[in-house]
Amino acid sequence: MQSFETLGLSGEIVDAVRKLGFETPTPVQSKAIPVLLQGQQDVVALAQTGTGKTAAFGLPLIQLMDENDNTTRALVLAPTPELAAQNGDSFRVYGKFLGLSTAVVFGGASMHKQKQAMFRGVDVLVATPGRLLDHVSQRSIRLDKVEILVLDEADHMLDMGFIHDLRRIATILPRARQTLFFSATMPPQIATLSRELLRKPATINIERKSAPATGITQALYPVPQT
């Protein structure tokens, strides 16, 4: 049985994971973490919500960010404030032994407080696309040192109409970066976006095939429209 130690994670990160009560990596973590730790290739990972995708990209990302210089070198985009806050909490827990700083920015919260956090400098920035662009327009954030871009729940961002924001953000970031694309599904627009943003990505597919729920009998009854 595979363990977090065998995936190549540092002892500090393994200790943090153990303190959370996790002993065995999920399938997406087992496949994604070794690839991401190489720190070079772009990645597309398809896995259902609730399969541990946050740790799949969060743990190796923190290990790659081995220097705490308060320069934003990792940007994680999430579709909702709730998911952004959840990701921010995860990064704080995973990286607490490494001294990495994290900030979370999303709509509905104080712009002033977010500006203060970013003025002090952060290593990992978690953001919703719209609020991130608000800060970009006000020049309250620098993204010219970003080395790793993560799109979390990319299909949900498409559903919420963020595809144009994602394209705009991509033009602001350095071209020489590693892009990690995590999604539960791959509809045509998301596939197109992945081809635009990623270069020769490794593909990790833990996508669950569609099937009727267990124990449910389905029937079709054609009826007249009236």
Side-chain angles (χ1 to χ4, degrees):
M1 182 179 295
Q2 202 165 28
S3 66
F4 286 101
E5 291 91 334
T6 63
L7 299 181
L9 294 168
S10 68
E12 293 88 349
I13 294 177
V14 171
D15 286 343
V17 171
R18 280 179 171 171
K19 283 181 168 49
L20 292 173
F22 301 129
E23 295 291 338
T24 305
T26 67
V28 68
Q29 292 164 2
S30 296
K31 291 190 176 183
I33 289 174
V35 175
L36 298 184
L37 283 176
Q38 297 175 19
Q40 298 176 345
Q41 191 172 17
D42 291 350
V43 172
V44 172
L46 299 177
Q48 294 293 319
T49 300
T51 55
K53 292 198 294 292
T54 302
F57 64 75
L59 297 177
L61 187 153
I62 287 172
Q63 183 157 316
L64 293 172
M65 303 271 296
D66 56 355
E67 297 179 5
N68 177 17
D69 58 5
N70 288 332
T71 298
T72 302
R73 293 186 291 132
L75 172 63
V76 180
L77 296 177
T80 65
E82 294 78 13
L83 183 57
Q86 176 184 319
N87 284 346
D89 290 341
S90 296
F91 275 104
R92 293 186 187 100
V93 173
Y94 299 153
K96 67 180 179 179
F97 295 121
L98 303 178
L100 294 176
S101 57
T102 302
V104 181
V105 299
F106 51 78
S110 168
M111 284 280 288
H112 177 66
K113 290 183 178 179
Q114 292 173 359
K115 288 180 181 180
Q116 287 182 317
M118 289 184 291
F119 180 76
R120 292 191 294 268
V122 295
D123 299 299
V124 180
L125 177 63
V126 184
T128 54
R131 178 50 62 96
L132 179 67
L133 289 174
D134 290 340
H135 282 289
V136 169
S137 66
Q138 297 186 24
R139 299 185 178 181
S140 56
I141 186 172
R142 289 187 58 180
L143 300 175
D144 58 314
K145 301 296 184 182
V146 170
E147 300 171 4
I148 303 172
L149 169 65
V150 181
L151 277 70
D152 190 16
E153 302 291 357
D155 51 350
H156 289 175
M157 284 195 265
L158 170 65
D159 294 340
M160 298 176 68
F162 286 133
I163 192 164
H164 298 299
D165 288 346
L166 297 177
R167 288 188 170 116
R168 183 181 170 195
I169 291 168
T171 65
I172 298 169
L173 301 177
R175 292 179 62 86
R177 66 174 187 269
Q178 184 182 21
T179 302
L180 315 178
F181 205 95
F182 282 75
S183 186
T185 61
M186 187 62 77
Q189 277 189 288
I190 287 295
T192 298
L193 182 65
S194 70
R195 288 193 293 269
E196 293 175 13
L197 301 185
L198 282 70
R199 300 181 302 273
K200 297 181 180 179
T203 300
I204 297 167
N205 193 347
I206 315 293
E207 187 177 9
R208 184 178 59 199
K209 299 192 183 309
S210 298
T214 303
I216 299 297
T217 300
Q218 301 191 38
L220 174 66
Y221 295 93
V223 296
Q225 185 173 356
T226 54

